[in-house]
Amino acid sequence: MNIPYNESVTRNILVLLFLLLFPVFKTAANPLIEITAPTNGTTAIEGDTIQINANASNPGGTPVNAVEFYINDVYIGKDTSAPYQFNWVSVEGTHLLTVREDHGSCYKTSSVPVQVIVKRMLPLLFSLLLLQMAVHILTHYQLILKH
């Protein structure tokens, strides 16, 4: 009994066997990374210390080696253990914060950017002048009310 040869069936069987025997070619899930604090649109005063918190995990099973912290795409530091945190002393301007998960490969997953708006504090001299004016006005009104 002769079984007819079918090239496409043979090719499909070989491909199926290859995929079953070599599962390393399956695509792995992307690592998950997000900034949990501060929230998008946060405002701060220049010089404030802002704590940046991040969550990172890798559903593919590869451990997270570190979380890297960036401001306007400039590296500012990293944390190698959960909970992932970094303290940043803010400077005036509108900034985009991002974090990147490092699991030892050349590919790094980035978070969605979080915008932080940092405003300049009134100059100290101007603040002191306003305080002096307020004290002067209150003193003057107290003298008028006593008479």
Side-chain angles (χ1 to χ4, degrees):
M1 176 169 150
N2 276 342
I3 299 174
Y5 175 75
N6 186 331
E7 186 177 327
S8 65
V9 171
T10 304
R11 186 179 317 122
N12 289 342
I13 290 173
L14 288 174
V15 168
L16 181 61
L17 283 172
F18 182 79
L19 292 175
L20 289 173
L21 294 174
F22 299 99
V24 292
F25 292 104
K26 293 181 181 176
T27 58
N30 285 336
L32 305 173
I33 187 154
E34 66 178 342
I35 295 175
T36 57
T39 57
N40 195 41
T42 295
T43 58
I45 301 295
E46 184 177 33
D48 285 353
T49 298
I50 297 175
Q51 185 176 42
I52 307 167
N53 298 329
N55 284 337
S57 63
N58 190 348
T62 306
V64 175
N65 292 338
V67 169
E68 298 172 343
F69 296 83
Y70 293 81
I71 301 204
N72 301 326
D73 285 329
V74 176
Y75 174 84
I76 59 167
K78 72 179 178 179
D79 193 350
T80 57
S81 61
Y84 302 103
Q85 301 174 336
F86 187 83
N87 288 328
W88 170 57
V89 178
S90 62
V91 293
E92 181 186 12
T94 300
H95 306 282
L96 289 178
L97 312 180
T98 53
V99 289
R100 295 181 188 156
E101 182 265 351
D102 178 6
H103 60 273
S105 72
C106 58
Y107 177 74
K108 295 180 181 180
T109 303
S110 291
S111 68
V112 172
V114 169
Q115 184 182 56
V116 174
I117 301 161
V118 180
K119 299 184 182 209
R120 174 176 272 170
M121 188 171 60
L122 290 175
L124 182 60
L125 182 59
F126 183 69
S127 298
L128 290 174
L129 287 173
L130 286 177
L131 180 62
Q132 184 180 8
M133 287 173 49
V135 169
H136 177 73
I137 291 170
L138 288 174
T139 305
H140 181 73
Y141 280 121
Q142 284 179 351
L143 290 175
I144 292 173
L145 291 175
K146 285 184 181 180
H147 293 328

